[in-house]
Amino acid sequence: GSEQEKKAAATVEVEGIPFPREIAGAKALSLVGHGVTDIEIHFLQIKFNAVGVYLDVDGAMEHLQGWKGKSQLMEDEAFFDALVSAPVEKVLRVVVIKEIKGSQYGVQLESSVRDRLVAADKYEDDEEEALEKVSDFFQSKYFRPGSVVTFHFPATPTAAPEITFVTEGKEEAKVAVENAAVAEMIQRWYLGGESAVSQTTVRSIADSFAAMLSSP
């Protein structure tokens, strides 16, 4: 095939934004789900971000053997719980479609993560402080279309997860998530099944894993 075709095979387009099918982590991480975050206002669909979810598939599959042969994963909260708690490297890549202030994104993240922590009875001073640090990180940012937010969750709990922000003409900015409960709830914000921020993304993840778990 042509170079063009090879390139097309190596990426998936989400709203015209190319997501590589594989990225380099400690191991090769595969794209297992993609979608958008959006809202409907007066019957108009407004798309905010394109989302790609990458992880170490072999590692994850070892933790998901209990779902072998099951096809209805979308409604299966336990499946998404197992995915979040699987101790494998994961990367969430969020690409901006609609221009907003970073502070707006930070507020959404903070309120969703706080609600989840409170519901799980895990919202103490440590969590509040770590979450505030993440929210503050986004305060000064400006989400131009094409800007990229990356959430990196290492396989080992000893290394702190990290959030990176890249936008045109600026240095890459990073912040560590120094609290395990906050890091877990950020994962759940994107990977939490029915309560996740992007339903297209979790549906895509459910379909990918149903296919992988049904193959002999």
Side-chain angles (χ1 to χ4, degrees), residues 9 24 44 55 72 93-94 120 125 140 152 164 203:
L44 277 177
L55 47 77
Q72 296 300 317
R93 182 181 163 85
V94 179
D125 291 349
S140 58
H152 179 242
T164 310
R203 186 164 293 286

Side-chain angles (χ1 to χ4, degrees), residues 131-176:
L131 184 54
E132 208 163 276
K133 191 177 157 188
V134 170
S135 178
D136 287 349
F137 172 75
F138 288 110
Q139 284 302 318
S140 58
K141 308 292 180 278
Y142 194 73
F143 281 29
R144 285 187 189 83
S147 307
V148 182
V149 183
T150 308
F151 297 86
H152 179 242
F153 301 94
T156 52
T158 46
E162 208 167 43
I163 303 171
T164 310
F165 179 72
V166 179
T167 192
E168 213 176 323
K170 293 253 169 88
E171 289 283 297
E172 176 180 90
K174 287 186 175 193
V175 65

Side-chain angles (χ1 to χ4, degrees), residues 5-194:
E5 280 168 17
K6 276 192 193 131
K7 208 172 161 194
T11 58
V12 175
E13 289 227 337
V14 182
E15 296 299 317
I17 296 164
F19 280 79
R21 285 184 188 273
E22 216 172 72
I23 59 173
K27 296 181 177 161
L29 305 180
S30 307
L31 182 66
V32 292
H34 52 81
V36 294
T37 56
D38 57 1
I39 54 169
E40 267 192 29
I41 299 177
H42 304 303
F43 305 107
L44 277 177
Q45 186 196 27
I46 297 174
K47 293 171 182 159
F48 286 104
N49 302 314
V51 180
V53 176
Y54 293 87
L55 47 77
D56 163 13
V57 168
D58 292 345
M61 290 292 277
E62 282 176 32
H63 294 275
L64 298 169
Q65 284 306 303
W67 284 268
K68 216 160 172 45
K70 292 190 179 159
S71 54
Q72 296 300 317
L73 298 179
M74 184 60 195
E75 286 75 39
D76 192 334
E77 286 298 308
F79 164 75
F80 289 103
D81 286 347
L83 187 63
V84 168
S85 59
V88 298
E89 190 175 8
K90 302 178 190 113
V91 169
L92 310 175
R93 182 181 163 85
V94 179
V95 184
V96 178
I97 297 172
K98 183 175 169 48
E99 196 161 318
I100 61 165
K101 291 191 178 98
S103 55
Q104 290 171 273
Y105 179 84
V107 163
Q108 288 173 357
L109 183 151
E110 185 177 21
S111 64
S112 176
V113 169
R114 188 195 300 117
D115 290 349
R116 288 164 192 272
L117 288 165
V118 168
D121 211 11
K122 286 181 180 172
Y123 191 59
E124 307 288 336
D125 291 349
D126 277 2
E127 283 75 23
E128 187 175 0
E129 204 175 303
L131 184 54
E132 208 163 276
K133 191 177 157 188
V134 170
S135 178
D136 287 349
F137 172 75
F138 288 110
Q139 284 302 318
S140 58
K141 308 292 180 278
Y142 194 73
F143 281 29
R144 285 187 189 83
S147 307
V148 182
V149 183
T150 308
F151 297 86
H152 179 242
F153 301 94
T156 52
T158 46
E162 208 167 43
I163 303 171
T164 310
F165 179 72
V166 179
T167 192
E168 213 176 323
K170 293 253 169 88
E171 289 283 297
E172 176 180 90
K174 287 186 175 193
V175 65
V177 183
E178 286 158 356
N179 177 285
V182 170
E184 178 198 332
M185 296 311 176
I186 293 174
Q187 276 198 54
R188 286 184 183 279
W189 191 37
Y190 280 105
L191 307 177
E194 307 231 292

